[in-house]
Amino acid sequence: MQEMSRAEWEVMRVVWTKGAATSGDIIAVLAQKRDWADSTIKTLLRRLVAKKALATTKAGRQFTYTPRIGEQATMQQEAGDFFARLCDMKKGAVLTTLVQDTTLSQADIAKLQALLATKAKTAPTQVACNCLGDTCTCEMKEATSNGTD
Ligand SMILES: [Zn+2]
């Protein structure tokens, strides 16, 4: 699966929600929500078919679109790909901020608490920086921030 743009994600969210949608359905939702032109939405649909994210069948005069990729799997893959680009040392801080800024259900929180309790049993004291090159200052910054906290 190739990377999707923000606009392509918006289209996928409509199709994931509806399960199957005609170009007319998708245009109606996005024209209202985003004020996008019909031609813009049709271009996005063509790109998503080319990327194999959507399947299309012709029903009468309209095309029907169905997702070829699952929402949960795609969300996890994209989030995982993004996290893979970060320095290992900084991932904890990013996750902490994400948790802080995310509305979580009681069930989500219970799962996170159980997971963290398990991870705490084997977690290292510190996570090493895995940046490339000698110009990385992660270790120094970490030392500085620990010193001032
Ligand atoms: Zn680093």
Side-chain angles (χ1 to χ4, degrees):
M1 175 66 213
Q2 295 172 61
E3 256 182 58
M4 288 192 283
S5 68
R6 279 174 193 228
E8 288 166 352
W9 264 97
E10 294 261 352
V11 174
M12 287 308 295
R13 287 188 64 185
V14 174
V15 184
W16 278 323
T17 303
K18 290 182 169 286
T22 63
S23 43
D25 294 335
I26 298 163
I27 287 166
V29 172
L30 290 173
Q32 192 198 15
K33 205 171 143 199
R34 290 286 177 248
D35 201 25
W36 291 343
D38 291 15
S39 57
T40 305
I41 299 166
K42 283 177 180 166
T43 301
L44 292 169
L45 286 168
R46 262 197 309 278
R47 280 194 208 143
L48 287 165
V49 170
K51 287 182 180 180
K52 301 188 181 346
L54 289 177
T56 182
T57 49
K58 202 170 184 191
R61 291 183 308 156
Q62 284 207 98
F63 286 99
T64 299
Y65 295 88
T66 49
R68 294 183 67 179
I69 54 174
E71 182 173 18
Q72 189 69 33
T74 307
M75 288 191 300
Q76 283 182 344
Q77 197 196 320
E78 291 265 333
D81 285 352
F82 173 73
F83 257 76
R85 295 178 215 153
L86 308 182
C87 168
D88 281 350
M89 184 185 260
K90 294 167 184 159
K91 288 175 181 172
V94 173
L95 271 176
T96 304
T97 307
L98 280 174
V99 170
Q100 193 167 9
D101 296 346
T102 304
T103 304
L104 296 166
S105 70
Q106 292 292 335
D108 291 333
I109 292 168
K111 273 188 209 163
L112 277 170
Q113 284 174 327
L115 179 64
L116 288 174
T118 304
K119 285 186 84 87
K121 290 175 193 164
T122 55
T125 312
Q126 270 198 317
V127 178
C129 161
N130 67 336
C131 292
L132 301 174
D134 327 319
T135 52
C136 170
T137 56
C138 286
E139 309 278 359
M140 227 157 58
K141 278 183 202 149
E142 185 78 357
T144 307
S145 70
N146 282 349
T148 53
D149 281 350

